[in-house]
Amino acid sequence: MILYEVVLDVEPSASSAVEEHMRRRHIPAIFATGCFRLIRFQRSSDHRFRTTYEAETAADLERYLRDHAPAMRAEFLVEFPTGVQLTRERWHDLESWG
């Protein structure tokens, strides 16, 4: 399994709008691409969020990044041109317990 993680550090004034957008539009649209088997959206504070996308294979993640990510990122930037800092990382599942 491959995990793709996006962390959003959001200015406090935009936090609720970003959360609503992610939950109602952005993440459902990404899930609809069929590239991920599970997506988690989490909050660590009022202005810091994490989205973890679980892809079955590296090919699924690459398909998302190649075929869908440019449009998804552009759409997000139209809604939030400022006020959000993003970091992206790929994680490879080595082992799981439980």
Side-chain angles (χ1 to χ4, degrees):
M1 173 182 5
I2 306 296
L3 302 174
Y4 180 61
E5 183 176 279
V6 180
V7 174
L8 301 87
D9 287 301
V10 183
E11 289 182 2
S13 62
S15 187
S16 61
V18 168
E19 180 180 350
E20 182 72 14
H21 178 78
M22 293 295 288
R23 294 176 76 186
R24 303 292 175 239
R25 292 180 48 203
H26 193 73
I27 295 171
I30 291 173
F31 192 68
T33 67
C35 298
F36 301 104
R37 68 182 200 163
L38 179 68
I39 301 174
R40 289 185 181 90
F41 185 56
Q42 300 162 317
R43 177 178 55 218
S44 68
S45 71
D46 289 341
H47 56 86
R48 186 171 171 86
F49 302 93
R50 175 176 70 181
T51 308
T52 304
Y53 304 88
E54 290 187 15
E56 192 68 40
T57 66
D60 290 331
L61 175 57
E62 292 306 320
R63 181 168 50 90
Y64 170 74
L65 293 172
R66 180 189 66 237
D67 298 343
H68 304 285
M72 296 293 181
R73 291 174 183 175
E75 176 271 328
F76 187 85
L77 283 174
V78 166
E79 293 291 321
F80 303 99
T82 62
V84 181
Q85 287 292 121
L86 301 168
T87 57
R88 297 177 177 95
E89 290 186 291
R90 295 179 196 206
W91 294 81
H92 300 271
D93 203 22
L94 300 177
E95 191 168 348
S96 296
W97 289 263

